[in-house]
């Protein structure tokens, strides 16, 4: 199950490394098409993960998980051989559909397979894999892309997904099904609202936050979410009962999960370009450069439960956001003169925050739902993660691009990317400095946002406990 999690989460991060190669490839994608090559997977993944979790609860988690791995393999194969951008986008969408079927059912299978006494440790291990998956995607993607072609990244995922399917077929137990029918109308409303919201988030940096497409996306999302809430409240067997969000712990844990992934994927988005342009790293060294983030996750993950029992969930979450926010703010002070060990030290600080947050928040969300809805609960976790990831990329992209454009030297004004600016400037004078300035601004905004959202999460939890 952990291997499946690392595979589908790693694909979110790995494709960012391939963007320069894709831009220079024979496909010749435009700037908006490049954004959608990255984000189509995330959008489909986030929109379908709750219905896919519910399908696992209804039809059998092992079967839906195996189907998801098959779709994931088919989608990555289609992406690897894509002759044009349209086929590549179709492959990315199919891969996202497979990932949506995989992720929620991994934890659901684990919760069924282990005794109750081992569930907290199991949840902590599973949650840690979502953090490790992002870093593994960077490291593994860098290793594959060092071969010189973006197609290797997608081709390599095919045998990994098929091997995971064989292992799942041999080792995963068959869990009980429930007879609650799926509501296709509620699923379509939820998917439509999610697509509209993510469309607005993803298009915001490119089209402008006040543009017609973004405003329309947010408006449609608000309407569809409202209709979905009323439909679910009237349903005898809701897909995801909105009344669950009356549980303060569940509500704050979902916000906390969104905030942590907001910060983590904002970092992933700028890290690859920073190490390549500001530090002169190659693509392989860039992929490996994020590895220090995983050191606390690997070493500290098994001990988070013990710390949480000692200082409480609120104390653990407060520490998590303090470390994550401080790490991002520390990274925002980096420039071309900063040594990599100093940069890596701030990655470790950020990793401490991720280590403390993921198992703690996952445990709260998993514990708020009955065992029969384990797939829906895990789908809810995955949705908050993907929304946070998409929002982090969109916000940091907007801030860093605006700052970069404003700081460019006169002869490079109007360029949208570092490569374009360097092509306009004979010696690249001032371009890298402008890029570093933009990166620092984006990371500062991400760090402050993580600290503010973390304060809201801890404050709501504390207030609800006092009210009780």
């Amino acid at each position: 199950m952990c291997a499946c999690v690392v595979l589908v989460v790693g694909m979110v991060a790995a494709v960012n490394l391939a963007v320069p190669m894709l831009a220079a490839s024979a496909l010749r994608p435009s700037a908006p098409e490049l954004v959608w090559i990255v984000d189509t997977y995330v959008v489909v993944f986030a929109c379908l993960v709750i219905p896919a979790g519910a399908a696992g609860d209804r039809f059998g988690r092992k079967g839906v998980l195996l189907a998801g791995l098959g779709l994931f393999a088919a989608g990555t194969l289609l992406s690897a051989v894509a002759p044009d951008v349209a086929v590549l986008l179709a492959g990315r969408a199919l891969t996202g559909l497979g990932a949506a079927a995989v992720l929620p059912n991994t934890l659901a299978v684990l919760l069924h397979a282990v005794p109750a006494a081992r569930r907290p440790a199991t949840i902590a291990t599973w949650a840690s894999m979502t953090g490790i998956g992002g870093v593994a995607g960077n490291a593994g993607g860098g290793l594959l892309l060092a071969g010189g072609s973006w197609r290797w990244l997608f081709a390599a995922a095919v045998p990994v997904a098929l091997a995971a399917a064989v292992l799942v077929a041999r080792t995963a137990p068959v869990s009980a099904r429930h007879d609650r029918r799926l509501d296709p109308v509620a699923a379509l409303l939820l998917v439509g609202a999610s697509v509209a919201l993510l469309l607005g988030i993803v298009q915001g940096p490119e089209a402008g936050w006040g543009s017609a497409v973004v405003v329309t996306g947010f408006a449609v999302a608000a309407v569809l979410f409202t209709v979905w809430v009323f439909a679910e409240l009237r349903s005898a067997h809701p897909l995801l009962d909105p009344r669950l969000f009356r549980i303060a712990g569940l509500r704050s844990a979902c916000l906390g999960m969104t905030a942590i992934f907001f910060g983590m994927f904002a970092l992933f988005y700028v890290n690859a370009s920073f190490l390549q342009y500001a530090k002169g790293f190659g693509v392989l060294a860039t992929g490996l450069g994020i590895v220090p983030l995983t050191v606390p996750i690997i070493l500290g993950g098994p001990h988070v439960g013990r710390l949480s029992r000692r200082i409480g969930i609120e104390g653990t979450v407060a520490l998590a956001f303090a470390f994550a926010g401080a790490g991002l703010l520390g990274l925002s002070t980096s420039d071309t003169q900063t040594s990599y060990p100093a940069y890596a030290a701030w990655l470790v600080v950020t990793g401490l925050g991720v280590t403390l947050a993921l198992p703690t928040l996952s445990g709260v969300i998993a514990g708020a739902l009955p065992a029969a809805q384990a797939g829906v609960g895990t789908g809810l976790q995955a949705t908050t993660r993907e929304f946070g990831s998409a929002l982090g990329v969109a916000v940091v992209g907007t801030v860093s691009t605006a700052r970069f454009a404003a700081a460019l030297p006169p002869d490079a004004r109007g360029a949208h990317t570092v490569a374009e600016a360097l092509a306009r400037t004979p010696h690249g004078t001032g371009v890298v400095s402008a890029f570093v300035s933009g990166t620092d601004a984006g990371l500062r905004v991400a760090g402050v946002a993580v600290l503010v959202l973390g304060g809201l999460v801890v404050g709501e939890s504390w207030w609800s406990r006092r009210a009780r």
Side-chain angles (χ1 to χ4, degrees):
M1 298 302 105
C2 288
C4 293
V5 173
V6 170
L7 175 64
V8 299
V9 175
M11 184 57 73
V12 181
V15 74
N16 286 304
L17 290 173
V19 168
M21 287 187 181
L22 282 162
S25 70
L27 299 184
R28 301 191 180 279
S30 64
E33 286 173 341
L34 272 176
V35 172
W36 280 107
I37 288 170
V38 174
D39 282 329
T40 295
Y41 177 81
V42 177
V43 170
V44 176
F45 192 173
C47 293
L48 294 178
V49 72
I50 289 179
D57 293 338
R58 174 66 178 85
F59 301 113
R61 292 150 188 169
K62 181 175 180 177
V64 174
L65 174 54
L66 286 170
L69 288 168
L71 290 170
F72 188 95
T76 50
L77 179 60
L78 182 61
S79 300
V81 300
D84 53 44
V85 172
V87 175
L88 179 56
L89 290 175
R92 296 287 287 158
L94 185 60
T95 310
L97 174 59
V102 169
L103 189 61
N105 290 294
T106 53
L107 183 57
V109 166
L110 286 174
L111 293 179
H112 168 74
V114 302
R118 291 183 58 194
R119 284 180 182 171
T122 300
I123 292 171
T125 302
W126 180 90
S128 298
M129 292 304 109
T130 60
I132 290 174
V135 179
N138 277 279
L143 182 63
L144 291 165
L145 292 170
S149 173
W150 58 269
R151 296 184 187 275
W152 285 105
L153 179 65
F154 299 112
V158 177
V160 176
L162 295 177
V166 172
L167 290 173
V168 168
R170 294 185 60 182
T171 62
V174 176
S175 59
R177 308 177 186 185
H178 66 69
D179 56 0
R180 295 168 60 248
R181 69 178 183 86
L182 294 178
D183 187 345
V185 174
L188 286 173
L189 286 171
L190 183 59
V191 169
S194 302
V195 168
L197 179 58
L198 282 170
L199 179 66
I201 292 172
V202 171
Q203 288 294 109
E206 182 68 30
W209 295 102
S211 64
V213 65
V214 173
V215 172
T216 301
F218 289 149
V220 171
V223 171
L224 291 180
F225 272 126
T226 302
V227 175
W228 171 76
V229 168
F230 281 108
E232 290 287 73
L233 290 175
R234 293 169 58 91
S235 174
H237 302 291
L239 175 69
L240 175 65
D241 194 339
R243 285 173 286 249
L244 289 171
F245 291 100
R246 293 176 181 172
I247 304 171
L250 177 67
R251 192 169 59 242
S252 61
C254 288
L255 175 61
M257 195 72 79
T258 301
I260 284 293
F261 275 78
F262 172 94
M264 192 161 63
F265 277 81
L267 171 60
F268 288 160
Y269 183 77
V270 299
N271 170 77
S273 297
F274 177 83
L275 291 181
Q276 289 184 68
Y277 290 119
K279 305 304 294 178
F281 283 22
V283 66
L284 176 57
T286 298
L288 296 175
I290 197 72
V291 167
L293 185 74
T294 62
V295 173
I297 298 174
I298 294 170
L299 299 180
H303 308 291
V304 173
R306 192 179 307 124
L307 176 66
S308 182
R309 288 190 294 272
R310 177 170 296 181
I311 68 174
I313 290 176
E314 289 170 14
T316 305
V317 171
L319 275 178
F321 281 103
F323 278 121
L328 291 170
L329 290 176
L331 288 165
S332 74
T333 64
S334 302
D335 57 26
T336 55
Q337 303 303 315
T338 302
S339 66
Y340 176 72
Y343 186 83
W346 287 117
L347 288 177
V348 172
V349 173
T350 308
L352 283 169
V354 174
T355 302
L356 293 171
L358 293 185
T360 306
L361 297 172
S362 292
V364 172
I365 296 173
L369 294 172
Q373 290 186 283
V376 173
T378 316
L380 179 60
Q381 294 191 46
T383 298
T384 58
R385 288 188 180 92
E386 300 312 316
F387 271 106
S389 301
L391 189 59
V393 169
V395 171
V396 80
T398 299
V399 173
S400 60
T401 300
R403 177 60 183 161
F404 167 70
L408 279 172
D411 53 352
R413 290 285 167 87
H416 298 288
T417 66
V418 178
E420 184 181 350
L422 289 172
R424 296 184 183 185
T425 309
H427 303 290
T429 306
V431 173
V432 173
S433 297
F435 167 74
V436 170
S437 175
T439 298
D440 289 347
L443 286 173
R444 275 195 298 275
V445 169
V448 170
V450 166
L451 289 172
V452 171
L453 292 172
L456 291 175
V457 170
V458 174
E460 182 183 29
S461 179
W462 175 81
W463 180 262
S464 63
R465 183 167 53 81
R466 276 194 55 138
R468 287 196 301 273

